[in-house]
Amino acid sequence: MTNHNIIECDVVIIGAGPCGLFAVFELGLLDIRAHLVDILPKVGGQCAELYPEKPKYDIPGFPIVTGQGLVDNLVEQIKPFGPTFHLNQMIEALEPTGTPDAPRFRVTTDAGTVFETKCVVVAAGGGSFQPKKPPIPGIEAYENTSVFYAVRKMEAFRGRDILIVGGGDSALDWTLNLQPIANRVTLMHRRDEFRAAPHSVEQMRALVASGAMDLRFGQVTGLEGAEIEGEGSALSAAICRDAAGETFSIPCNTLLPFFGLTMKLGPIANWGLNLNENLIPADTEKFETNVPGIFAIGDINTYPGKLKLILSGFHEAALAAQKVHRYVYPDKRLTFQYTTSSTSLQKKLGVA
């Protein structure tokens, strides 16, 4: 590969979810510009891809904010630092080319993009995530017309007859969120026990008791519908079986199976990091891994007392940025400053 295809940079952030986006901000305050790589076609990670309209209540300063709303604010916040995004790409190879005191890495994506960088910040959430698909024969023909594994725009489901399958938080959350706008919602689970938040289960049972929705027990074994020319198939009913082996049919034109996500680290597993159950151990001083110059923030990392909260990832990004600065500017003394009082930081943000 010729040199003009190689991007020289200070840091590559793997993952453009909330933690990766906030890392851009913390690095930008220290005069470090970032390139971000994400396998998804847009920024925002799971917040934008799986839960764009799901409300969040534990983001400091926001009594309530949707997943997409949080992402939009983060993108606005980092505009002064001009990050470069490389979307629809996955990191394929990472080769150390420096030393522990002066790390450098050659990072290559599956699209042929090559970075020569001093530091790498892994903010990949759970890695490359894919929905677990139910073992229903012929389900592929209905995907994206009648079968969906994520809710990206609630309005698209207005007036629909929806069958939601699952017993976890996603299934219960979307049952409660879609019930007011759907024509009819039916929730199906294998048994009358749920893994979701108790309050959500109570709300669902109240809706069932009032006749506002249906609750059935069993599993989907087949789908009925008609082919739409050039578009796949339109669902008309789901064929189900209960614990006693009895078969029954549920009329519906939309199926939302929420069986969780399959997390795949992909090539990250081959980078020489000391993995612990598919998570990357990091220290709590600077969130650096066992490889100097590679940092791990957000849900991808693990350490004693780790909480998988977005606000924890923001904290981790701030401390990681301090150590990245030492690698990028080894001869430059770093003086800690507050954005509220530092005119130099305010100039960087364009507010001075």
Side-chain angles (χ1 to χ4, degrees), residues 88-149:
N88 276 321
Q89 298 186 43
M90 182 177 73
I91 303 297
E92 204 167 52
L94 182 148
E95 177 190 355
T97 58
T99 66
D101 293 330
R104 284 188 68 85
F105 303 92
R106 173 172 282 218
V107 180
T108 307
T109 77
D110 58 358
T113 308
V114 179
F115 303 93
E116 293 281 358
T117 183
K118 295 174 183 175
C119 293
V120 174
V121 176
V122 184
S128 171
F129 57 90
Q130 301 167 353
K132 293 180 182 176
K133 297 185 179 183
I136 302 173
I139 192 172
E140 293 80 10
Y142 296 91
E143 290 175 351
N144 299 319
T145 56
S146 301
V147 175
F148 304 90
Y149 301 104

Side-chain angles (χ1 to χ4, degrees), residues 231-316:
E231 294 185 31
S233 296
L235 184 65
S236 58
I239 309 303
C240 310
R241 186 174 62 238
D242 63 19
E246 295 292 322
T247 299
F248 59 96
S249 176
I250 297 179
C252 58
N253 53 29
T254 302
L255 174 64
L256 300 176
F258 292 114
F259 289 7
L261 299 172
T262 299
M263 299 297 188
K264 296 184 179 180
L265 279 185
I268 295 176
N270 305 318
W271 294 352
L273 304 173
N274 292 332
L275 297 179
N276 178 15
E277 296 184 352
N278 270 359
L279 297 172
I280 304 173
D283 63 45
T284 53
E285 177 190 358
K286 51 195 179 299
F287 297 95
E288 196 167 17
T289 69
N290 63 297
V291 178
I294 299 183
F295 300 80
I297 64 173
D299 286 357
I300 195 77
N301 76 10
T302 182
Y303 52 85
K306 168 71 178 183
L307 291 177
K308 287 195 173 186
L309 295 172
I310 291 176
L311 67 89
S312 299
F314 291 167
H315 158 79
E316 296 159 13

Side-chain angles (χ1 to χ4, degrees), residues 305-348:
K306 168 71 178 183
L307 291 177
K308 287 195 173 186
L309 295 172
I310 291 176
L311 67 89
S312 299
F314 291 167
H315 158 79
E316 296 159 13
L319 292 190
Q322 301 288 305
K323 183 60 184 288
V324 171
H325 183 274
R326 288 180 56 188
Y327 288 134
V328 174
Y329 301 113
D331 301 322
K332 188 175 177 181
R333 184 170 175 269
L334 178 58
T335 303
F336 183 72
Q337 302 176 78
Y338 295 101
T339 56
T340 51
S341 56
S342 168
T343 54
S344 65
L345 292 183
Q346 291 169 7
K347 285 178 182 176
K348 294 173 187 178

Side-chain angles (χ1 to χ4, degrees), residues 172 175-176 179 184 187 194 198-215:
L172 269 292
T175 295
L176 298 175
Q179 185 274 330
R184 192 73 180 175
L187 174 64
F194 297 89
H199 180 63
S200 298
V201 177
E202 290 173 14
Q203 285 184 282
M204 177 271 294
R205 292 195 189 281
L207 289 171
V208 173
S210 70
M213 61 165 284
D214 299 310
L215 173 62

